[in-house]
């Protein structure tokens, strides 16, 4: 998958698997009472810490946040890595899995670009 996206002009970004609350939830506009923040869904390392909650990331979106904070557009990147969710309620799921997300920010980027990217990726996959 990474090789395909590299051929499509994307670079690869990786980030920490242990995240702070702001990068994992706050920057995604997930309010304090959002279900994703529940202890049943998230592996908190420290909760209620005066300097902020620390947790195992639940998605790779915090990597996108870090890329956007550190780099001006245009941005064309995939973010990959392990994510952790406490999904013990289902015997079909496991608490660790891999995720890959894409981020493409530039002038004149449209839904047609997204459609073409997904189509090209699917065909090559």
């Amino acid at each position: 998958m990474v090789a395909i996206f590299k051929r499509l002009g994307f670079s690869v970004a990786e980030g920490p698997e242990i995240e702070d609350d702001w990068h994992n939830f706050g920057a995604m506009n997930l309010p304090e009472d959002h279900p994703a923040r529940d202890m049943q869904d998230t592996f908190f390392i420290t909760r209620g810490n005066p300097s902020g909650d620390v947790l195992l990331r639940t998605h790779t979106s915090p990597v996108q946040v870090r890329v956007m904070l550190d780099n001006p557009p245009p941005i064309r990147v995939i973010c990959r890595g392990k994510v952790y969710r406490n999904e013990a309620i289902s015997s079909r799921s496991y608490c660790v899995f891999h995720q890959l997300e894409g981020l493409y920010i530039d002038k004149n980027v449209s839904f047609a670009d997204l459609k073409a990217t997904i189509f090209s990726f699917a065909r090559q996959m």
Side-chain angles (χ1 to χ4, degrees), residues 36-105:
R37 292 177 181 246
D38 289 345
M39 290 294 291
Q40 294 82 7
D41 296 327
T42 303
F43 290 108
F44 286 94
I45 296 170
T46 60
R47 180 120 190 193
N49 188 358
S51 61
D53 294 339
V54 178
L55 57 131
L56 296 177
R57 69 180 178 198
T58 59
H59 46 94
T60 55
S61 298
V63 180
Q64 292 184 22
V65 171
R66 292 174 186 282
V67 168
M68 288 186 285
L69 290 172
D70 294 340
N71 301 282
I75 296 171
R76 192 172 184 156
V77 65
I78 58 169
C79 305
R80 65 176 180 178
K82 285 189 264 184
V83 297
Y84 305 85
R85 294 187 193 160
N86 188 6
E87 297 181 347
I89 57 173
S90 171
S91 62
R92 297 181 305 156
S93 62
Y94 186 62
C95 62
V96 180
F97 58 96
H98 287 79
Q99 188 175 59
L100 186 139
E101 298 182 52
L103 177 66
Y104 186 11
I105 302 172

